[in-house]
Amino acid sequence: MRYKHTQVGYVTGGLTLPALPLLYYAFMVEDGELGLLTYTMLGGFGVLAVLFSSLTVTVTDQELVFYFGPGFWTRRFALNDIVSAEVVRNSALHGWGIRYTRHGWLYNVSGLQAVQLNIRGEGQIRIGTDEPEALKQALDEVTAR
């Protein structure tokens, strides 16, 4: 394994976790009891908090692999399909999570730094990371061979 790093999703967790007690309190004040909708919303926010709690990126000798939380939304790309890698800065308007931007797909849990990849057959994607230089260097080392 050439590179492995897990970035904690302070933004996604920081936005999702406080919503749980706020939802609970809002519905308790309004009705004095929790209904099915409230439990569903609390459960949904809890699941999102776990799924987007982190982003792990791994570079092996053959592929780039990344996934959210405990293995949610795993993506794999053969290194020989990676045409280029460039350190970039996302706009705060791009947000976090999984979304499509004018730069292609963005996978991000926190912060604005990313590595933009041009992948044969896929186009551009951006992987958010708090170690953009280290990820780019690992990719450069294995794709230069």
Side-chain angles (χ1 to χ4, degrees):
M1 187 170 326
R2 299 280 184 160
Y3 174 87
K4 183 172 184 174
H5 176 66
T6 299
Q7 180 182 7
V8 176
Y10 295 112
V11 171
T12 51
L15 294 175
T16 307
L17 289 178
L20 298 176
L22 289 174
L23 281 171
Y24 176 83
Y25 179 74
F27 281 96
M28 286 301 289
V29 167
E30 183 70 27
D31 298 334
E33 61 183 59
L34 296 178
L36 180 60
L37 175 63
T38 309
Y39 284 117
T40 303
M41 290 174 65
L42 288 171
F45 275 101
V47 168
L48 286 174
V50 170
L51 293 180
F52 291 98
S53 61
S54 64
L55 177 61
T56 300
V57 180
T58 304
V59 177
T60 68
D61 287 334
Q62 291 82 31
E63 64 184 354
L64 164 72
V65 180
F66 59 93
Y67 57 88
F68 288 94
F72 174 69
W73 202 275
T74 300
R75 297 292 315 263
R76 297 177 178 275
F77 297 103
L79 293 178
N80 57 3
D81 288 338
I82 298 175
V83 177
S84 65
E86 175 186 359
V87 173
V88 295
R89 183 172 175 84
N90 293 317
S91 163
L93 298 175
H94 287 137
W96 298 276
I98 303 168
R99 58 189 69 249
Y100 193 78
T101 71
R102 64 185 177 99
H103 303 289
W105 284 100
L106 170 66
Y107 305 89
N108 194 15
V109 293
S110 192
L112 301 177
Q113 300 176 74
V115 172
Q116 180 171 293
L117 304 172
N118 187 355
I119 301 175
R120 194 173 292 112
E122 288 280 331
Q124 289 183 343
I125 68 165
R126 286 187 175 191
I127 302 171
T129 178
D130 55 350
E131 293 185 350
E133 295 294 340
L135 175 55
K136 182 183 181 319
Q137 180 180 350
L139 288 167
D140 288 347
E141 287 174 3
V142 292
T143 56
R145 294 185 289 145

